Amino acid sequence: WLGRVAESRVKATFNMNDLTTHVLVAGATGSGKSVTASIFVEELLEKKIPVVVFDPTAQWTGFMRQCRDSKVLKYYKQFGLKDTDRKSYKGLIFEVDNPNVKIDFKKYMNPGEITIFDLRKLKPGEYDTAVKNIVDSIFAEKWEESTKLKLVIVFDEVHRLLEKYGGKGGYIALERAAREFRKWGIGLIMVSQVLSDFKEAIKGNVLTEIQMHTKSLGDLRRIETKYGKEYAKRVARLEVGVGMMQNPGYNDGIPWFIDFRPPYHMPHKLPEKELEMYKEYSRIVEELEDMINALEKEGKDVFGLRVELKLAKDKLKQGRFRMAEMYITSLRKSLGK
């Protein structure tokens, strides 16, 4: 459930398996494009699909807290939502400060959980390199083919990968991902300021496009050419949180407009102090897990350690830092660290 068809009470819904043919959300700064993408992610998590987010702004870290923004909550009643519908989601936050990153995605395929990689420390050129290495990490894994959606990966601010912004390998890697990931049941959600700058190699393999408000002449011309002047005029006037959606399998391929529902989670980044705690504890838990794995390879009995590790992870994913620290302290003592 994404929201409602604009200017009506009709519910707007989307088959989540169609995410294997990917989604591209575009719009001007402040148009609500990242929040719109996050509605898809909330629905995925509700259906126990794991999501991994690469976040250059830390906005997505708000998934760890329920919505408290009065400007968002005032729209709940319009969509039949109650205050009790607000919720947080289980997940971990990691910091990426090296563009030569390699990620074991299968570690983060936990049903209904979100894993967020904070990329804020990367410079523009480093972001491009990191995206290339992230996509290469996925191709390096051995995946079984699947007709059903198994994992969704979100890349925000992907316009930074375009050549005009200094991008090189990252954009080419995303083209390859858009072509190949479908056979493994991996979907992509890409968020950008522009659609028109993306070459057909990506657009031809992304079947769902969502255009939020924009003043980009390139995007408006593209809309006018494809769908007509009235659509272009309407997009230029869209309110925050309303978007034009098009997928050839819906509405006979004709674009329609959606008033996206408000999110259940907090659509802003966590306070810096709390964010640092998440990242530090996530790093420690990963280190402890590596130590336990090494002991297991040596033939040691690690059953009790794994039980404590799971408890530490679960408490951290719920943002219960004191409880997580208690189990982490016990694990460190057991491991002599």
Side-chain angles (χ1 to χ4, degrees):
W1 174 48
L2 301 178
R4 61 193 180 198
V5 177
E7 300 177 3
S8 79
R9 307 300 299 177
V10 179
K11 275 196 168 186
T13 59
F14 188 78
N15 183 337
M16 287 298 148
N17 279 322
D18 288 335
L19 272 166
T20 57
T21 53
H22 319 308
V23 175
L24 185 54
V25 186
T29 301
S31 62
K33 58 185 180 296
S34 292
V35 175
T36 293
S38 78
I39 302 304
F40 281 85
V41 171
E42 283 188 346
E43 292 290 317
L44 289 163
L45 297 174
E46 296 290 339
K47 293 168 179 61
K48 304 303 179 187
I49 302 294
V51 178
V52 177
V53 180
F54 294 96
D55 181 7
T57 63
Q59 178 178 338
W60 293 77
T61 60
F63 264 88
M64 280 43 179
R65 292 290 175 265
Q66 60 178 262
C67 186
R68 301 190 192 99
D69 187 334
S70 58
K71 292 180 181 178
V72 175
L73 295 175
K74 71 180 182 181
Y75 293 104
Y76 266 39
K77 192 173 181 181
Q78 294 179 25
F79 288 84
L81 294 173
K82 301 174 183 174
D83 188 65
T84 51
D85 290 316
R86 299 181 302 139
K87 68 181 295 184
S88 58
Y89 291 87
K90 286 180 68 175
L92 294 172
I93 302 169
F94 298 94
E95 184 170 76
V96 176
D97 56 10
N98 184 343
N100 299 313
V101 60
K102 291 184 180 179
I103 294 169
D104 180 359
F105 279 84
K106 291 186 177 179
K107 283 173 63 176
Y108 309 115
M109 290 184 67
N110 302 309
E113 293 185 11
I114 184 168
T115 306
I116 298 163
F117 289 91
D118 180 355
L119 308 180
R120 285 181 299 164
K121 286 196 174 179
L122 297 179
K123 298 170 185 174
E126 291 179 333
Y127 176 70
D128 182 80
T129 303
V131 169
K132 180 185 180 302
N133 288 322
I134 289 161
V135 173
D136 286 347
S137 295
I138 300 168
F139 278 105
E141 297 267 12
K142 291 183 179 178
W143 303 91
E144 291 186 7
E145 293 195 5
S146 174
T147 56
K148 290 188 176 179
L149 186 68
K150 295 194 300 187
L151 170 69
V152 169
I153 301 170
V154 179
F155 287 98
D156 205 344
E157 301 277 312
V158 294
H159 53 272
R160 296 187 187 187
L161 304 175
L162 295 166
E163 289 179 10
K164 64 194 285 185
Y165 297 107
K168 295 177 182 176
Y171 182 85
I172 294 169
L174 274 188
E175 284 184 355
R176 186 181 173 209
R179 285 195 303 269
E180 303 289 340
F181 282 5
R182 179 183 184 183
K183 63 187 177 188
W184 298 319
I186 300 175
L188 289 171
I189 297 176
M190 295 173 282
V191 185
S192 175
Q193 288 183 1
V194 289
L195 270 175
S196 57
D197 283 348
F198 283 85
K199 299 169 187 173
E200 292 305 321
I202 279 190
K203 288 187 290 194
N205 289 285
V206 177
L207 292 192
T208 303
E209 294 181 0
I210 301 170
Q211 178 68 65
M212 313 299 285
H213 167 77
T214 183
K215 284 187 167 62
S216 164
L217 293 178
D219 278 347
L220 292 173
R221 277 196 294 266
R222 178 174 175 270
I223 294 165
E224 182 176 345
T225 300
K226 288 187 75 173
Y227 309 118
K229 189 176 288 187
E230 287 306 309
Y231 283 96
K233 285 182 179 178
R234 188 166 177 182
V235 165
R237 298 194 303 264
L238 288 177
E239 296 179 2
V240 174
V242 181
M244 183 185 81
M245 187 165 175
Q246 196 272 336
N247 178 301
Y250 292 72
N251 198 35
D252 296 323
I254 302 167
W256 71 104
F257 290 84
I258 294 179
D259 190 357
F260 288 91
R261 67 165 177 79
Y264 307 134
H265 73 283
M266 191 69 169
H268 312 293
K269 80 178 184 70
L270 290 176
E272 205 61 42
K273 185 177 179 181
E274 193 173 342
L275 186 52
E276 289 305 314
M277 289 177 71
Y278 257 113
K279 290 190 286 192
E280 179 62 12
Y281 281 127
S282 294
R283 183 189 63 77
I284 292 169
V285 165
E286 290 266 289
E287 285 182 357
L288 294 172
E289 186 168 17
D290 288 342
M291 292 176 70
I292 293 169
N293 290 340
L295 288 173
E296 189 171 44
K297 284 182 181 178
E298 293 172 8
K300 304 285 178 63
D301 179 10
V302 297
F303 179 78
L305 294 172
R306 288 212 179 276
V307 170
E308 277 200 298
L309 179 69
K310 185 180 185 306
L311 288 167
K313 274 189 173 181
D314 284 345
K315 300 307 177 188
L316 178 55
K317 289 172 182 176
Q318 296 165 16
R320 298 172 68 181
F321 299 121
R322 287 185 182 179
M323 292 292 289
E325 186 173 13
M326 183 179 75
Y327 290 114
I328 286 170
T329 301
S330 176
L331 275 168
R332 281 178 150 172
K333 187 176 180 181
S334 299
L335 291 165
K337 183 174 171 61

